Amino acid sequence: MNAVAAQPSPATTSQNRAEAESLLEIRGLYKHFPLADGFLEQLHFEKGRLVRRNEQVHAINGVDLSVQRGEALCVVGESGCGKSTVARLVMGLLSPSAGEISYAGQRIDNMRGKRLLPYRQRMQMIFQNPYASLNPRMTIQQTLEEPLRFHHPDWTTPQVQDKVADVMASVGIDPEWGKRFGHEFSGGQRQRIAIARALAVDPEFIVADEPISALDVSIQAQVLNLLMDAQAERHLTYLFITHDLAVVEHFGTRVAVMYLGTVCELADTRSLFARPKHPYTQALLSAIPRLDDDRPEHVRLSGEVPTPVHLPSGCVFHGRCPHAMERCRQEVPQLIVADDGNQVACHAVEEGRL
Amino acid sequence: MTTTTAITPSRWKRFRNSYLVYSFKRDWIAQFCLAIFLCILLGAVCAPWLAPMNPYDLTQINILNSELPPIWVDGADALFPLGTDAQGRDLLSTILYGARVSLIIGFGAVMLQALIGVTVGLLAGYLGGRIDAFLMRLADIQLSFSTLMVAIIVGALIKAVFGGAVYSDYAVWLLVLIIGLAEWPQYARTVRASVLAERSKEYVDAARVMGYRDRRIMFRHILPNTLSPIFVISTVQIANAIISEAALSFLGLGMPETQPSLGSLIKSGFDYLQSGSWWITLIPGAVLVVLVLVVNLLGDWLRDVMNPRLYKG
Ligand SMILES: Nc1ncnc2c1ncn2[C@@H]1O[C@H](COP(=O)(O)OP(=O)(O)OP(=O)(O)O)[C@@H](O)[C@H]1O
Ligand code: SF4
Ligand SMILES: [Mg+2]
């Protein structure tokens, strides 16, 4: 009817498309944990005087990420770099020290209670340890029914039971298991149950925090395939945390590489593995042994991983980086978009030295 | 996926096959203690039918029968197998009724303690932060008051406001209140410690991610997983409550002599020890010691069985 509305300007179209595509937006995220909770534990003697020192663990230091609808964004990095903290912040298990998290255009990091409830259905999480993620006092049936009864109070018992049977079938667990308790199952079976619980409420976005690293190697592939099948069938979007680069290559559409609470490189999986730009990513990738080795030889990192308590100035990687220069010690590198559309936070790349 | 065809056993079958029952069958001390405890419990519960006379009924008491010894001593009357006390009440009946009062107070006080302590411990452990600090300081303050002090304060207040007659009418419930109020912090501490351990497990995170409210997570998810320590501490607390009641009664702060508990029986007989009527004190005393001992031994056994480090379940 309205010609103006039917033909919006090109600027708004591209903006709209960007908004429609990005499901989760993380902007300027910070998370600090106090090292000592109590007032008394914060007191220290220094040069004969009692001072109060409020030290903090800088777990996340300015992370910007967006997860596009339908993709599987993998987050990699060494232990303690803040991967789980990002996951827990996104799911609202922790609240950020600074920054914003939006889901489908809505800011969710400051939502509470009832208003958050719809997002609890749309976003779900799968945990690392299947031995701890099922309530030991609940049967499998109870574990799977509870979310449905909670989110759909108007459903009748047969409706709930049908849905449970459906979701059990879709993750390949026997309906007979319903009467039993979590401890009667193996790790892989438990992880299937945990996945069924997450899928029961029909989420569109799933955060998976190392969902296969606690499992037997023989089971890992099965569970990974289950997650990929679920993605194809239910059009899921994943934020997938792992430290296994082989899994990333197999599973991820894009990869975010984290180091000490910052994202240092964000790229398409294929181009990241083909042409890693950030010195840390290069070192990380060169550590995988390969048959078709046509890359430069193993980059050996010197130095220790700094603690997130005393954060290095400038680039957090400068103590171990072979390309570090004076600027790296002073200025924090920002994520810049390279010519191929991938993002890197490194002065050397920006200056064209690398 | 191989064992799925096995039929899931019923609750009762699971209980019968559990480690608890298994180790009970192997431990004669536990069996012996449970047997004695059940005997005392049965005697106490059925006191109105078992006891030869009703010590609360003044018409059944004859002062001429006072201080008769138990039947194995010279000068006894076959009507009174364990002798009589200074008022001429049959000691066997009085002990049965007294054990009843002691057990009512013990269980009642422990229920009150558990109600307060479990709620406080759950809130403190789950919510953490300032609420935790506040509640736990409250528990510390409560612990620093002895049961005796609470009893003196509450007793004095009630007597001052309502008078002594009301006090002895409601003495059982007042003692439940006093011992319940004085000793809940043990529960709160135990529960808080296990809630802290449970809260960090991923099933609690999974429940939070589902959007469940705090109350549901605390009572439906965490509380059932802290039941074993609650169970274990309850046995110890029952023994403690019975002793506390006996101590208070012995000091005259507890049950009146018209409605004796084991403690007030011991007290009332204490004055006659020197005149040779030892049975009025020693027999109820022995019953009290045996009762507390078996409850404590059962508690020890339960703690050993449920110790998660020895047995993973
Ligand atoms: N609740 C907390 N209190 C204090 N410090 C914390 C807390 N949670 C995480 N940290 C710290 O934050 C940093 C990041 O932790 P995080 O668990 O996010 O790492 P991760 O990348 O998931 O590591 P891993 O691969 O071992 O799981 C670590 O230094 C950790 O010690
Ligand atoms: S910014 Fe400097 S120190 Fe950091 S990775 Fe790049 S070259 Fe290395
Ligand atoms: Mg982690």
Side-chain angles (χ1 to χ4, degrees):
Chain A
M1 276 200 294
N2 190 329
V4 183
Q7 290 177 334
S9 68
T12 25
T13 336
S14 65
Q15 216 176 352
N16 279 347
R17 188 159 1 100
E19 268 170 25
E21 278 177 354
S22 118
L23 193 56
L24 183 84
E25 284 275 343
I26 301 174
R27 289 277 152 263
L29 193 67
Y30 285 82
K31 179 67 191 177
H32 307 158
F33 295 104
L35 208 51
D37 313 318
F39 175 75
L40 285 178
E41 290 153 41
Q42 294 175 359
L43 296 180
H44 297 269
F45 266 113
E46 250 170 41
K47 297 186 196 116
R49 279 192 310 150
L50 204 58
V51 290
R52 182 176 171 199
R53 213 171 341 121
N54 198 354
E55 282 188 326
Q56 297 193 313
V57 182
H58 300 265
I60 303 294
N61 308 294
V63 163
D64 296 284
L65 265 186
S66 70
V67 184
Q68 315 297 322
R69 196 180 280 277
E71 77 170 336
L73 177 63
C74 289
V75 180
V76 293
E78 33 194 1
S79 182
C81 69
K83 305 182 297 288
S84 298
T85 307
V86 169
R88 298 170 65 80
L89 284 164
V90 166
M91 292 311 295
L93 291 172
L94 294 170
S95 49
S97 308
E100 292 183 10
I101 299 169
S102 323
Y103 185 84
Q106 275 288 320
R107 218 180 133 177
I108 53 168
D109 58 277
N110 49 9
M111 271 190 200
R112 292 268 163 278
K114 270 221 159 59
R115 284 186 46 217
L116 199 54
L117 225 46
Y119 295 94
R120 296 300 195 186
Q121 237 179 308
R122 296 170 71 180
M123 311 165 69
Q124 270 300 309
M125 184 159 178
I126 299 168
F127 295 87
Q128 174 171 7
N129 181 359
Y131 293 91
S133 65
L134 299 176
N135 187 338
R137 300 271 166 173
M138 286 170 99
T139 62
I140 305 311
Q141 186 76 22
Q142 287 169 332
T143 303
L144 295 181
E145 277 186 15
E146 193 184 16
L148 292 169
R149 292 191 191 278
F150 182 79
H151 283 288
H152 307 283
D154 51 324
W155 283 16
T156 61
T157 303
Q159 265 177 309
V160 170
Q161 285 170 346
D162 281 353
K163 180 76 192 176
V164 168
D166 266 5
V167 80
M168 278 177 150
S170 74
V171 300
I173 63 184
D174 193 317
E176 277 295 312
W177 294 5
K179 299 189 207 90
R180 304 211 258 149
F181 290 86
H183 62 81
E184 299 175 47
F185 297 102
S186 72
Q189 291 170 333
R190 289 188 208 203
Q191 195 61 300
R192 280 174 193 270
I193 296 162
I195 292 171
R197 174 179 55 194
L199 293 180
V201 292
D202 288 326
E204 49 190 17
F205 175 65
I206 288 188
V207 174
D209 186 359
E210 310 207 22
I212 58 170
S213 33
L215 307 178
D216 275 0
V217 179
S218 56
I219 308 292
Q220 287 187 348
Q222 285 181 20
V223 173
L224 201 61
N225 284 336
L226 171 62
L227 289 172
M228 289 173 78
D229 292 347
Q231 181 179 30
E233 277 163 30
R234 298 162 177 263
H235 312 291
L236 294 174
T237 306
Y238 282 118
L239 180 66
F240 194 93
I241 291 163
T242 178
H243 55 244
D244 186 344
L245 290 168
V247 170
V248 175
E249 212 171 357
H250 188 58
F251 192 83
T253 40
R254 284 195 307 154
V255 191
V257 181
M258 283 186 72
Y259 186 80
L260 221 60
T262 56
V263 174
C264 44
E265 184 160 0
L266 180 62
D268 280 344
T269 308
R270 207 163 322 132
S271 54
L272 183 103
F273 279 87
R275 289 178 307 282
K277 294 199 178 62
H278 195 279
Y280 176 64
T281 319
Q282 289 173 351
L284 207 62
L285 292 185
S286 73
I288 329 176
R290 286 186 177 271
L291 288 178
D292 54 333
D293 217 337
D294 53 348
R295 287 162 215 270
E297 72 227 53
H298 192 118
V299 182
R300 188 158 288 144
L301 289 179
S302 57
E304 285 289 300
V305 186
T307 65
V309 180
H310 303 287
L311 218 54
S313 63
C315 173
V316 283
F317 191 53
H318 77 236
R320 302 168 77 195
C321 179
H323 311 284
M325 289 175 66
E326 195 45 39
R327 187 181 171 202
C328 306
R329 277 179 261 282
Q330 284 162 13
E331 200 181 316
V332 180
Q334 302 297 323
L335 273 181
I336 51 161
V337 183
D339 3 323
D340 54 0
N342 296 336
Q343 299 176 45
V344 194
C346 173
H347 295 313
V349 175
E350 190 191 351
E351 291 161 7
R353 286 195 279 130
L354 227 148
Chain B
M1 266 187 246
T2 47
T3 54
T4 47
T5 42
I7 308 155
T8 308
S10 70
R11 225 164 247 270
W12 169 241
K13 267 237 188 73
R14 271 211 309 275
F15 175 71
R16 262 191 11 211
N17 294 332
S18 69
Y19 183 71
L20 193 75
V21 174
Y22 171 83
S23 82
F24 183 76
K25 282 188 191 147
R26 238 137 251 266
D27 189 336
W28 67 269
I29 296 184
Q31 293 167 14
F32 182 72
C33 288
L34 188 68
I36 293 189
F37 177 72
L38 288 179
C39 282
I40 297 179
L41 189 69
L42 202 74
V45 170
C46 305
W49 302 282
L50 285 181
M53 61 182 272
N54 180 354
Y56 297 166
D57 184 358
L58 291 176
T59 59
Q60 295 184 20
I61 299 171
N62 187 345
I63 193 73
L64 293 177
N65 290 333
S66 67
E67 293 189 61
L68 289 172
I71 41 171
W72 62 87
V73 178
D74 286 346
D77 185 329
L79 265 179
F80 306 108
L82 294 181
T84 59
D85 70 359
Q87 299 169 41
R89 296 183 294 196
D90 172 39
L91 206 55
L92 174 63
S93 314
T94 330
I95 287 174
L96 287 174
Y97 275 87
R100 183 180 158 97
V101 172
S102 290
L103 283 170
I104 289 177
I105 294 176
F107 277 101
V110 165
M111 264 149 69
L112 184 62
Q113 288 169 19
L115 192 74
I116 304 175
V118 169
T119 313
V120 168
L122 259 181
L123 287 173
Y126 184 72
L127 298 177
R130 270 156 210 259
I131 296 177
D132 180 24
F134 172 75
L135 289 174
M136 284 300 113
R137 284 308 82 74
L138 207 67
D140 289 344
I141 293 170
Q142 178 65 68
L143 265 190
S144 68
F145 283 105
S146 64
T147 310
L148 190 60
M149 246 168 96
V150 178
I152 292 171
I153 294 169
V154 174
L157 267 177
I158 301 280
K159 276 181 185 152
V161 177
F162 299 106
V166 172
Y167 184 88
S168 33
D169 282 352
Y170 295 101
V172 172
W173 305 116
L174 282 174
L175 281 170
V176 167
L177 187 75
I178 289 166
I179 300 171
L181 282 183
E183 294 175 19
W184 61 264
Q186 280 92 336
Y187 268 101
R189 287 182 171 178
T190 313
V191 171
R192 175 177 174 269
S194 35
V195 169
L196 283 181
E198 292 299 320
R199 192 183 63 163
S200 61
K201 294 193 182 159
E202 287 176 349
Y203 74 86
V204 178
D205 288 335
R208 289 177 60 200
V209 162
M210 261 319 156
Y212 302 153
R213 280 179 256 294
D214 285 347
R215 187 140 36 113
R216 177 188 283 260
I217 297 176
M218 278 193 277
F219 287 94
R220 287 223 203 141
H221 290 255
I222 297 180
L223 185 59
N225 286 295
T226 58
L227 282 184
S228 334
I230 292 178
F231 208 44
V232 170
I233 192 181
S234 292
T235 52
V236 180
Q237 290 294 91
I238 286 177
N240 284 349
I242 291 173
I243 291 190
S244 291
E245 184 279 325
L248 291 177
S249 294
F250 189 80
L251 294 172
L253 294 164
M255 296 303 296
E257 279 185 31
T258 49
Q259 243 182 302
S261 68
L262 291 177
S264 40
L265 270 178
I266 296 171
K267 173 191 191 282
S268 68
F270 200 65
D271 303 333
Y272 300 89
L273 257 185
Q274 247 121 35
S275 63
S277 308
W278 49 266
W279 56 89
I280 310 180
T281 278
L282 290 195
I283 296 179
V287 173
L288 179 72
V289 168
V290 169
L291 176 62
V292 168
L293 193 69
V294 295
V295 173
N296 266 323
L297 286 175
L298 278 174
D300 278 353
W301 167 76
L302 206 60
R303 196 192 53 217
D304 289 346
V305 173
M306 290 195 169
N307 188 340
R309 265 174 301 180
L310 293 179
Y311 164 64
K312 291 199 170 67

